[in-house]
Amino acid sequence: QGLFVRGLLRLKFMDQLSGYLDKASASFRQTYSELEEVVMETLPKAERAFAYDMPGFKIKISGKEIQDWKGTIDPNYLQIFLVQRKSGITLDLWNTLDYYWLEGKRAELTRAGFKVMRGCLQWNRKQSYPMEVVKALLISIKEKVGDLP
């Protein structure tokens, strides 16, 4: 993409993000800010994204482009999105290389206070979001995937 097109996409993303955050609770804004810091520190090649009406990040996970795929989730990216719902703040972690990876961490995540669902973690506690647990998850993905392209 050309520099001009990338600039327009960046402006669109910033408009979507600021619109979303303006309507979100203070705890969500704080959690998103902390998540952004953890993602960019742990996965420096991550791109900020806004998709499925959620702010988040996507990280290229394959050096080989999968062009012909079905479904809504692009298999070329690990996608991390945060959303505020009535049931709490939900962290969507879509790892197309291993759809069931959260299942292997269910006991640990449940002990930390998360409700573990397929591809996402729900947090409905009054305490602050356990970002150290999220960072450990991202590190485990990075180790499993290897050097990201």
Side-chain angles (χ1 to χ4, degrees), residues 19-69:
Y20 191 94
L21 293 177
D22 286 347
K23 296 175 189 170
S25 69
S27 66
F28 180 87
R29 288 191 299 273
Q30 176 68 32
T31 301
Y32 180 80
S33 176
E34 291 171 7
L35 177 65
E36 181 177 40
E37 187 176 314
V38 165
V39 168
M40 299 315 280
E41 175 187 320
T42 309
L43 303 165
K45 294 182 182 179
E47 303 170 30
R48 289 168 182 84
F50 194 94
Y52 316 103
D53 290 326
M54 297 181 284
F57 310 87
K58 62 182 188 174
I59 301 97
K60 186 107 169 112
I61 55 174
S62 172
K64 186 178 197 181
E65 186 78 21
I66 301 168
Q67 299 209 3
D68 194 24
W69 50 276

Side-chain angles (χ1 to χ4, degrees), residues 50-55 69 71-74 79 81 83 85 94:
F50 194 94
Y52 316 103
D53 290 326
M54 297 181 284
W69 50 276
T72 57
I73 299 174
D74 187 340
Q79 297 184 55
F81 292 102
V83 64
R85 297 200 166 96
W94 301 329

Side-chain angles (χ1 to χ4, degrees), residues 56-117:
F57 310 87
K58 62 182 188 174
I59 301 97
K60 186 107 169 112
I61 55 174
S62 172
K64 186 178 197 181
E65 186 78 21
I66 301 168
Q67 299 209 3
D68 194 24
W69 50 276
K70 296 178 182 173
T72 57
I73 299 174
D74 187 340
N76 295 294
Y77 292 89
L78 165 67
Q79 297 184 55
I80 304 166
F81 292 102
L82 198 64
V83 64
Q84 184 167 357
R85 297 200 166 96
K86 289 180 184 177
S87 55
I89 295 175
T90 300
L91 179 65
D92 290 288
L93 295 156
W94 301 329
N95 179 0
T96 56
L97 297 179
D98 183 359
Y99 291 105
Y100 305 104
W101 73 285
L102 285 176
E103 284 300 316
K105 300 182 178 300
R106 180 179 288 275
E108 169 191 343
L109 294 168
T110 301
R111 275 193 307 276
F114 287 106
K115 178 178 180 183
V116 181
M117 299 181 289

